[in-house]
Amino acid sequence: MAVLTPRSEDFPRWYQDVIAKAELADNGPVRGSMVIRPYGYAIWERMQADVDARIKAAGAVNAYFPLFIPESYLRREAQHVEGFSPELAVVTHGGGKELEEPVVVRPTSETVIGEYMAKWTQSYRDLPLLLNQWANVVRWELRPRLFLRTSEFLWQEGHTAHADQADAAAYARRIALEVYQDFMVSTLALPVFVGRKTRKERFAGAINTLTCEGMMGDGKALQMATSHELGQNFARAFDIDYLGADGARHLAWTTSWGSSTRMVGGLIMAHGDDAGLRIPPRLAATQVVVLPVRDDEKVVAAAAQITAELKAAGVRASLDARPGLSFGRRVTDWELKGVPVRVEIGPRDLAAGNTTLARRDTGEKSTVPLSEAAGRVQALLDDVQDSLYQQALALRDSRTTDVTSLDEAVEAAATGFARLPWRLVGEDGEARLAAEALTVRCIQNPDGTLPDGTDDADDLVCLVARSY
RNA sequence: CGGGACGUGGCGCAGUUUGGUAGCGCACCAGACUGGGGGUCUGGGGGUCGCAGGUUCAAAUCCUGUCGUCCCGACCA
């Protein structure tokens, strides 16, 4: 009687089981809405704190813009409104009356922020203007999946204005690499392919979209974050211009970039196993749980002491001495929740002056003297962080196949990613792939780095996969 | 919007064919024994059977209508 549906049997079902059993989220009352439970929200808060610090390190500052946007704003940028219209939630009534102009619930904030950027940008001295906001957005979804695709989700959206295209392009690139990729690699222990989206897959209104694509446990791709060069499209629509040093008026160049609660879904699917979630130590709100094996005064006292020592050493540790729950039950609970390391202590350990350390990533256990426990735990946490990354990387490498034709790509993408020269695909190829439920996830340089600009140089490669 | 299924305690389901006054597993509550990988036992609480009509002595079950949900085909962090 397994706790969860095995991943190999039914991956989507496994995903839902993990969310329910680890108490991450529930469906909301309105179809497509999501209730994020405390344990799931704690994961998001840790992600937020880390991403927020990186955004600030990149020079952007936080602000807040309204949830309601005049419908007319959306219309000002043709591609933008075309891209978002089908998924807009529109408010037609307020205060008991029909509104003269409907307002939309923001699906993203380029338009309102553009309006204010235009006010705030007078001189070249006001640039670059680097803004970010943490907010909820609404995109009415027909096929909701908790964390991955819900009608309302939480995210961070950055919006910047620059004096010239090169500066805007460099910033969009910097965000993709230094904020998103580095966060995913260093904190989420998740390797990502960073590349450029095809013209077809671009954000509505962008001239270039950069993406971080992760591989999930079933070989499907998940777009984990995106960074867009918006060219002068929004600057033109919202009159974001400035007086240059040359005394002439110039149109600004803008960017936008976002990462969302979808990353929680990526975390689950990239690292989870048949026993539940596996949270990388650097992300985990609880890094270590200390479990007394029996409800015995001495054992519990020893467990409490280890917990205190760990905390004093800077480890995020907690004690689980809940009476009435068997040891096995508590172990299973924390495995489901993905806590990286367990410290177990029972009468036998105590008599020998030992404690048992168990790592979540491999299940491996070791016995160490009580006096050394705190120090060993620190080292173990570093090990788990590294090992989760290596496991995710090994999976991705083993399921990424270099191919030389579209037919081979279709075959390889049945189980993972196919990499092939972009010139073999092109827009016609994309249409053919779409018929097989496949998409070009991103375009890269042959060495896997992010291409500069948007030119279709001859040697570019692309990654093709099924995706969420 | 086109095709398929389903609505029965919190969750998952049986019961519907052949009407007889609602049951199982998990979860929950109380107590006891337990505790080195989802423990056992005893007792207990909780359901207008989606909704509205109708047929009948009697409806979860039959009839009509209605609402909702889920799955499959065009977009998306």
Side-chain angles (χ1 to χ4, degrees), chain A residues 69-210:
Chain A
I69 300 178
E71 198 179 40
S72 58
Y73 279 25
L74 275 290
R75 295 190 201 290
R76 288 199 220 167
E77 213 292 317
Q79 291 177 335
H80 193 63
V81 67
E82 190 187 332
F84 281 105
S85 284
E87 43 188 313
L88 290 181
V90 182
V91 179
T92 57
H93 288 73
K97 288 190 217 157
E98 184 163 353
L99 301 175
E100 285 188 24
E101 180 189 347
V103 299
V104 304
V105 180
R106 63 175 165 228
T108 176
S109 304
E110 274 75 8
T111 59
V112 229
I113 294 182
E115 177 80 5
Y116 286 83
M117 278 182 160
K119 281 192 179 182
W120 301 339
T121 301
Q122 304 289 328
S123 151
Y124 69 96
R125 295 178 218 275
D126 297 323
L127 297 175
L129 179 57
L130 310 175
L131 302 173
N132 180 65
Q133 83 165 341
W134 290 93
N136 57 338
V137 284
V138 168
R139 300 177 187 181
W140 216 257
E141 289 294 346
L142 303 177
R143 290 205 184 297
R145 293 253 271 148
L146 287 176
F147 290 114
L148 300 176
R149 203 185 301 110
T150 49
S151 288
E152 179 190 5
F153 58 91
L154 305 182
W155 76 346
Q156 119 329 271
E157 50 176 320
H159 298 271
T160 68
H162 305 258
D164 57 67
Q165 179 166 21
D167 196 46
Y171 200 76
R173 187 182 171 91
R174 178 178 177 187
I175 293 290
L177 296 173
E178 291 178 24
V179 175
Y180 297 142
Q181 181 180 28
D182 197 57
F183 166 70
M184 286 165 204
V185 169
S186 305
T187 302
L188 295 189
L190 187 51
V192 285
F193 286 117
V194 184
R196 191 179 90 197
K197 283 291 184 189
T198 66
R199 193 172 300 270
K200 176 175 179 285
E201 299 285 330
R202 257 179 216 161
F203 176 75
I207 62 165
N208 191 17
T209 287
L210 311 180

Side-chain angles (χ1 to χ4, degrees), chain A residues 306-438:
Chain A
I306 300 174
T307 311
E309 283 170 16
L310 287 167
K311 283 183 178 168
V315 175
R316 295 188 291 276
S318 73
L319 174 69
D320 181 8
R322 285 175 291 177
L325 282 185
S326 70
F327 174 71
R329 178 53 181 256
R330 284 174 288 142
V331 167
T332 308
D333 272 357
W334 292 111
E335 277 183 343
L336 283 165
K337 292 191 171 175
V339 171
V341 169
R342 292 193 309 279
V343 173
E344 305 173 355
I345 182 159
R348 296 207 297 262
D349 288 316
L350 198 54
N354 289 334
T355 185
T356 302
L357 306 184
R359 51 191 293 173
R360 175 63 183 86
D361 61 332
T362 60
E364 187 188 339
K365 290 190 182 188
S366 57
T367 302
V368 303
L370 270 171
S371 56
E372 293 175 22
R376 294 287 286 273
V377 164
Q378 298 266 25
L380 200 49
L381 288 170
D382 290 342
D383 250 32
V384 172
Q385 180 79 31
D386 187 52
S387 140
L388 282 173
Y389 180 79
Q390 294 304 333
Q391 288 177 49
L393 186 61
L395 172 87
R396 194 187 74 171
D397 286 349
S398 72
R399 293 217 196 181
T400 301
T401 313
D402 285 292
V403 299
T404 53
S405 74
L406 265 186
D407 287 339
E408 288 174 338
V410 169
E411 195 187 331
T415 54
F417 291 5
R419 183 166 37 213
L420 73 166
W422 166 235
R423 67 186 145 73
L424 295 183
V425 183
E427 292 189 11
D428 292 343
E430 278 188 281
R432 240 188 91 194
L433 291 170
E436 307 285 338
L438 296 174

Side-chain angles (χ1 to χ4, degrees), chain A residues 9-24:
Chain A
E9 185 183 311
D10 185 344
F11 196 85
R13 178 86 182 276
W14 166 85
Y15 178 76
Q16 290 184 315
D17 285 355
V18 172
I19 289 172
K21 296 278 187 170
E23 301 179 336
L24 299 176

